[in-house]
Structure formats: C-alpha cells, structure tokens
Amino acid sequence: MYKCSVIGLSDSHRQWLPPMVMRLIASGHIFSGGRRHHEIVASLLPPDAVWIDITVPINRILKQYEKFNNIVIFASGDPLFYGFANTIKRVFPNIELKVYPAFNSLQMLAHRLNMAYHDMCAVSLTGRSWDRFDEALIKGERLIGCLTDKKKTPHEIWKRMCDFGYDNYQMYVGESLGNEEAEHIGIYDSSKEYNVPNCVILEQKFLRRQHTGIEDNEFFLLDGRSKMITKMPIRLASIAALNLADKQSLWDVGFCTGSVSVEAKIAYPHLHVTAFEIRTECKELMMKNARKFHTPGIKAIIGDFCVVDTSQLVAPDAIFLGGYGGKMKELLLKAKRLLAPSGCIVFNSVSETSKCNFITITEELGLKAEAVHTITVDNNNPITILRAK
C-alpha cells in the first residue's frame, strides 16, 4: 500500500462531509472500515466499490491492505486520536497518508456540556489497561476524558474510583454521540444500562491528592507490629535512591505492608508497580493500604520471589529489596537477570553482615554497589541504604 486516506466520521446516519472528501470517495475503489462505518457511508460509495471490514485479528486486515496501492479507510472521530491512522503509520511507515478528521467523541461530549476542555487529560480504556486512568486519578487531574469499551464501561470506571476513594469527581456519560436518534448525555446513573458506543468525562469537584511522607502509624500494619514497616524517613530516602523519575517499572520484593509501593506510586503515578511477598496475609494488607491512600494499579503477587513466574510481567528497571528471607544470592541472581541495563537495586541493610553480603554478591554479579546513606531513626539501629547499578 502506497497511499491511504483516513476519513473520520461521527455516529450520524445523515453524515455531512466536506466537498474534497466527497470527491475522494467518488474517485475511490477500495474502501475499508468497521461494519458500523459501512452502514453510515454505504449510500455514498461508488457502484463498483470494494469494501474490507475491519475485524479482529487486525493483522489479517493489514495483510489484505498490502495488495492495494490506494485505500480509503473510514474511522471514528479523529483517526489520529487513539485511532486507526496511528496503526497505519506504525505498520506502513513510508506510506503517503492523508487524514480528514471529525470531532472525537470526547470533544463532542465537552461541546454538549458547554465545557472548556483545553486542560482535559484524555485516556483510552478501549482494549487497554487501567494504567493511564490510575495515573490521572493519582495526579489529581481536573478533567479526565475516558474512551470506554464493552468491558471498561462507565459502571466499571465508577466502581474502580469508589474502591480507591475517588468520590471527588462528577461523571458525565455521552452515548452514541452524533447519532440523532440515539444520542444521550447525562450525569452517571448506577442503575442505567448504557448504550455502546459511549464515553465519559470526569470533572473534579475538589482535589484529593495524597502527599508523600505518610506517618508509619497511618498504615495498616502486619499484626499491628510497628517494626514490620520501612520507617518513613528510610522509605523516602530509599525511593529517592531508586531514581524513579525516569523509570517505568518498579518491583518491590518483600513488600509486607506495602508502604514503599504506596509511597512510590503516589510520588510517581506513571510507574508500573509490582510487589512480591511470601506471606499470604500481606495481600489483603496491601489492598487495604492502597485503598486508604488512593493508589490503584499496584499489582501484588504472593509467593517465593525466587521461583514465582515473572515472564508475563513488565520487566523492572528499578527493584527495592525489602526482605530476602535468607536467600539473598538467589534473589539477586534473578533480579540481575531481569533488570534493565540502566536499572538499579536498592537494599536497606540493618547489619554489617547483610551490608557486606549485598556488596559482595552484587559485585560478583558484575554490578557496581555503593552506600547511599546511613540513617538512624529515633532509637532504632542505623540503617544503610545500598544501591547496585
């Protein structure tokens, strides 16, 4: 495929398109789009038009495109806004591409609400994870626009917000925007069945933003034991030592209460945070603390880190070693094997023995170890924060 035009449509069955787009359609021969798009534009296509339905798997459709020199594709809204034009650019990087956008659904919903949307954080949940949505909530974005799908519906979005204490947003739902017969806009109603397609805008009523430096006694603790938590000054210094601003994936090994994971997620909402712990009771503890401090998106895994299957996880470029259960060498061997080349491991040593072991083992593995800080908190023993790169 050498040339491709991608035309954005609303959901209207009485579509108005600019004259130049109408001429493009009239001169076309190979067309493609979703079945809903075909229904909308069928009367506009020339008599000899060949139509290729866009269905899953998408790779099979893209393979068909290779047979043709020039294709006209129909897509929803703005094809460059989480749209199909981006797929075309990625698969056919040298193509001659022209895009003719319509308003995307979030723009249309904002227009219907007479809402200024220049600072809206747009998130696509269509076939995607919750990561960007969680990030927007934790950051405290004033406006969050969400593209939904059949699984991540307005009801599921609302439930996730409630689970993590985000009752500070008004939710507006737009259904079948642009469709004269089916369009509906309203405030979220938990009893309503929403038509597809729909989209959501969340408008903040008041700011709920958790600050870092949470006092130890504010966390739910393991059996109420105050010693089973990384103390707040140590926690913040350890997070600083991990240099997380330019990292993408943090693994918290031996999370116990989850205090390091929670604080890291608050400070760096973009992070993928995966936490490991061998004690089964700690999973609920992690969830209670994540809910209390409004930090969705932390993945907690129960099991022995040395043997747990990590092949499907986002590989780490930062690892915090909160405990090693007598298996420091085995744990560091696995950590080093999975760690990104630019990554680092941070460990809090409570004794000279564990400090020497960490330095010796990491250097045997070809890592460079250094002591970052030695800190004494209240009447507790000094703790040395170590980092290996």
Side-chain angles (χ1 to χ4, degrees), residues 20 22 42 67 124 130 134 161 163 247 250 266 294 323 333 338 383:
M20 63 185 302
M22 293 298 291
K67 303 174 186 176
S124 176
W130 291 105
D134 294 343
M161 292 167 63
D163 282 349
K247 303 293 194 298
L250 167 67
I266 292 168
H294 317 299
L333 274 167
L338 298 170
I383 291 179

Side-chain angles (χ1 to χ4, degrees), residues 73 79 87 127 168 189 192 223 244 258 335 373:
I73 298 174
T87 302
N168 58 324
D189 180 351
K192 179 177 169 56
D223 300 326
L244 295 172
H373 300 292

Side-chain angles (χ1 to χ4, degrees), residues 6 36 146 151 165 167 170 205 223 259 272 275-276 305 358:
V6 187
R36 184 164 55 92
C146 303
K151 292 182 179 178
D167 57 354
Q170 179 88 276
K205 297 181 292 183
D223 300 326
S259 63
H272 292 273
F276 302 85
F305 175 77
F358 181 83

